[in-house]
Amino acid sequence: MNPLTQIDPEVSAILADEIERETSKLQMIASENFSSPAVLEAQGSVFTNKYAEGYPQARYYQRCGPSDTVEQLAINRAQTLYQAQHANVQPHSGSTANLAAYLALLQPGEKILGMDLAAGGHLTHGAHANFSGKLFQAHAYTVHPETHRIDYDALRKTARKVKPRLIIAGASAYPRNFDFSAFRSICDEVGAYLLVDMAHFAGLVAGGAHPNPVDAADVVTSTTHKTLRGPRGGFILCKAEHARKINSAVFPGVQGGPLMHVVAAKAVCFHEAMQPSFRDYARQIVSNAQALAAALLERKFDLVTGGTDNHLILVDLRNQNMTGAEAAARLEESGIVANKNGIPNDPLGPRVTSGLRLGVPAVTTQGMREPEMAWIAERIARALRGDGGAGELEKIRHEVRELCERFTGGGAS
Ligand SMILES: *Cc1c(COP(=O)(O)O)cnc(C)c1O
């Protein structure tokens, strides 16, 4: 018997439930993935025992030799992977990375300009409920009312009017690539810093399937656990001139001791992302998302912006007589895990919504390809339109389980 089963059978049983859930259903939440057994091993290692406040060769605790070595390795790998002048691999999460980046570049009360939450932006880009909306004067740009893509002319006008100190490019539910040089030119015109938050598409950048924002941006923030497929955590890349400010904003600015077990797992994840097979993975993510989009369009679903350039799709359900909440619940019944999501100018509130966000990073890790995307689109159509009620959803759930049993390339097993 393993130690967890012996010492805490209650948690052990819950863990078994989670393994069952992850392996028997389609994981289509766009921000989720399956990290590798190597990442999980590093993250579950004895580095969890070590305090290493400070940075390599400049710690506040004794006996940090292995911590120094592993953190320096993670830093070097991140810099090489993204061709960045400086990397900080300590942020505990994407949100913490953003908090540190803002505090490094701005004074509290200064103006920031980020994508509207309702248009696909993230809470940390200036939402009222978040530190970003409380500590800073937050302004928002949105997407074009018809194309639902970023309207760069409108963004330029907003930036001229607001005169923000920082503009944020990045989102959680935007299915198109960002034009980083357009953002750079707008920032230069109004004297703003450019922060690119690549939390969602960091893996696509690493694998060469999305433009790299590092040259255009002053600072790039990210998570490691979304398309990048590493441990849960964050990191920051920046130009050399901002390195000191970024480091002291992370520690001692907003964090205490780094999570050295997670830093070790980040080193592993950057190593994995440097392999040729990761380039194939990133390309396959985009091919799969586009195949799924095409199969949904064929079945008369409306997609926000009409398709996708990246790993996610936003379905506009207004022509389906169904809310996002109903659709997500029906899909869950059918073994397809996705989330309701607001669409631009959504007439319904955030608890209901008119949209459904679908992501393919996890199913792509499992080895699914274009034929499976068409298969999934067919099940989504049956689940959302079928009038067979629970019987039909149960039937789909069994089919989904059989599919998942054929694709065991994911992490949990
Ligand atoms: C997920 C995400 C984050 C936050 O990451 P957490 O690790 O959940 O704090 C930040 N920015 C964007 C754009 C995201 O999608």
Side-chain angles (χ1 to χ4, degrees), residues 90-320:
Q90 291 192 4
H92 299 335
S93 69
S95 298
T96 308
N98 281 343
L99 175 58
Y102 299 166
L103 292 175
L105 299 173
L106 310 171
Q107 295 299 319
E110 287 193 304
K111 291 180 197 163
I112 61 173
L113 177 60
M115 194 175 201
D116 198 349
L117 192 60
H122 188 259
L123 283 168
T124 56
H125 298 177
H128 297 299
N130 183 264
F131 68 77
S132 54
K134 294 184 199 292
L135 294 181
F136 302 98
Q137 256 191 76
H139 294 261
Y141 59 89
T142 185
V143 291
H144 188 278
E146 272 136 43
T147 64
H148 295 153
R149 291 176 187 241
I150 295 171
D151 178 342
Y152 290 94
D153 293 331
L155 171 56
R156 192 180 290 273
K157 277 189 201 134
T158 307
R160 279 178 187 155
K161 200 169 73 190
V162 171
K163 298 215 182 320
R165 198 73 184 101
L166 174 81
I167 297 181
I168 304 146
S172 299
Y174 185 64
R176 297 296 176 174
N177 288 350
F178 292 84
D179 183 346
F180 298 126
S181 53
F183 271 99
R184 179 74 260 169
S185 123
I186 293 166
C187 285
D188 288 343
E189 187 184 327
V190 302
Y193 291 117
L194 175 59
L195 184 147
V196 175
D197 179 349
M198 63 171 182
H200 258 266
F201 53 85
L204 301 182
V205 174
H210 189 289
N212 186 344
V214 162
D215 271 345
D218 294 284
V219 175
V220 175
T221 56
S222 187
T223 61
T224 37
H225 51 271
K226 296 181 182 175
T227 49
L228 191 52
R229 208 162 63 176
R232 301 202 79 76
F235 65 104
I236 303 176
L237 306 171
C238 67
K239 299 280 191 286
E241 62 187 282
H242 300 305
R244 288 177 68 95
K245 279 187 297 186
I246 287 288
N247 279 0
S248 51
V250 173
F251 171 85
V254 302
Q255 290 185 177
L259 310 175
M260 287 317 302
H261 56 306
V262 181
V263 169
K266 286 172 187 171
V268 176
C269 129
F270 295 136
H271 175 71
E272 289 179 343
M274 291 164 116
Q275 305 311 310
S277 58
F278 200 86
R279 295 188 84 78
D280 299 337
Y281 171 60
R283 254 196 304 271
Q284 191 64 50
I285 287 179
V286 176
S287 304
N288 279 354
Q290 291 177 344
L292 181 62
L296 289 169
L297 288 169
E298 248 173 56
R299 289 168 179 79
K300 304 280 177 259
F301 283 96
D302 269 355
L303 306 182
V304 172
T305 76
T308 182
D309 296 330
N310 57 27
H311 61 297
L312 70 85
I313 291 166
L314 199 52
V315 183
D316 178 344
L317 293 164
R318 284 174 306 173
N319 68 347
Q320 305 290 323

